[in-house]
Amino acid sequence: ESLAASCLTNIGFYHSIKGNHKTAVRFFKSALNAAKKSRNKRVSAICMINFGVISQAENDYDAAAEYYEKALEIAEEIGDRRDIAVSLINIGNIRCHKAEYDEALNCCMKALEISKEIGHKRGISDWMVEIGEIYIKKGDTAEAADYFKRALAIAEEIGYKYCEANCMKGFGNIRIREADYEKALDYYGQALKLYEESGSAAEAESMKKTIGE
């Protein structure tokens, strides 16, 4: 049952990233049932995270928040610090969407600290980007730029092109905020190239729309 739960989760995740949300939910529900039977709480937490991601993608932020809180509760119960960090970041995203920026920062800072403690460099770089984007929304572009620079240094060190792309996008967002549109386009162009190199088709397509291609 435990192996089945993991396999069903992977299939659900595949459908989720393809945008097949109904199919993904069906597999995640099956995975959750199998996880409960095998008492695999980590898979249960992952399913809750994925339910939240799908709800968020469908603009049901209240439902997403509930799923992320459940995921956090399970992750804390079993002491899975990586999933605790992911859940905190996701809760932070919901807070940010609701313009609760201080609460969002608090969640993301906690996640960043956890990732530093466990030495998860991808997490560190990803969470720094998240924090940078929140600072942009707060109007503090200098602090945002500092976080993007630190994230970029780590991403380049570990060869994490997806995060490098997110950093370039972040620098572009700062330039948009500062009305430097020519420089923003330059950063967005670099982001597009990196998204394509990392195989991130959805992000590349979104960036093309932003640029106006």
Side-chain angles (χ1 to χ4, degrees):
E1 291 285 355
S2 185
L3 179 59
S6 296
C7 290
L8 288 164
T9 301
N10 289 336
I11 296 169
F13 182 72
Y14 169 80
H15 284 289
S16 179
I17 61 174
K18 291 290 184 181
N20 305 325
H21 292 165
K22 287 185 178 179
T23 304
V25 167
R26 190 169 74 246
F27 277 103
F28 288 138
K29 283 181 178 177
S30 297
L32 184 59
N33 287 334
K36 286 179 178 177
K37 288 178 183 177
S38 62
R39 297 181 181 178
N40 188 332
K41 291 192 173 183
R42 179 160 196 269
V43 170
S44 294
I46 291 170
C47 287
M48 290 299 170
I49 290 170
N50 283 302
F51 285 138
V53 169
I54 290 171
S55 296
Q56 190 171 346
E58 295 179 345
N59 298 318
D60 190 345
Y61 294 97
D62 290 337
E66 286 184 24
Y67 284 124
Y68 294 148
E69 291 286 357
K70 286 178 185 176
L72 178 59
E73 185 179 332
I74 296 168
E76 287 178 335
E77 182 184 340
I78 62 176
D80 190 319
R81 304 193 78 198
R82 187 173 292 193
D83 282 345
I84 290 171
V86 171
S87 298
L88 284 167
I89 283 293
N90 288 331
I91 293 167
N93 280 335
I94 298 295
R95 298 292 190 194
C96 188
H97 175 78
K98 293 182 175 181
E100 299 169 355
Y101 300 128
D102 290 337
E103 292 88 342
L105 269 179
N106 185 44
C107 288
C108 293
M109 289 295 189
K110 285 180 182 177
L112 178 60
E113 192 58 36
I114 290 169
S115 292
K116 285 180 177 178
E117 288 172 3
I118 63 177
H120 185 213
K121 287 192 173 182
R122 281 199 172 205
I124 294 168
S125 56
D126 282 335
W127 310 159
M128 282 183 171
V129 171
E130 295 284 348
I131 291 167
E133 291 292 350
I134 295 170
Y135 273 116
I136 290 176
K137 288 180 170 64
K138 282 172 67 72
D140 191 343
T141 55
E143 195 70 18
D146 181 60
Y147 273 95
F148 293 143
K149 285 174 185 173
R150 289 158 62 189
L152 182 60
I154 295 169
E156 288 177 338
E157 176 195 338
I158 62 177
Y160 187 15
K161 288 199 172 184
Y162 176 75
C163 186
E164 290 180 45
N166 285 336
C167 291
M168 291 303 165
K169 179 183 174 183
F171 288 132
N173 291 342
I174 288 174
R175 296 302 187 184
I176 289 290
R177 187 91 179 200
E178 296 173 345
D180 187 349
Y181 302 115
E182 186 176 342
K183 190 62 179 175
L185 279 174
D186 180 49
Y187 280 124
Y188 287 155
Q190 292 181 62
L192 173 59
K193 184 172 180 290
L194 287 161
Y195 280 136
E196 289 174 339
E197 288 176 0
S198 66
S200 306
E203 287 81 358
E205 194 59 35
S206 176
M207 187 51 61
K208 283 180 182 177
K209 289 178 182 177
T210 300
I211 293 170
E213 288 189 4

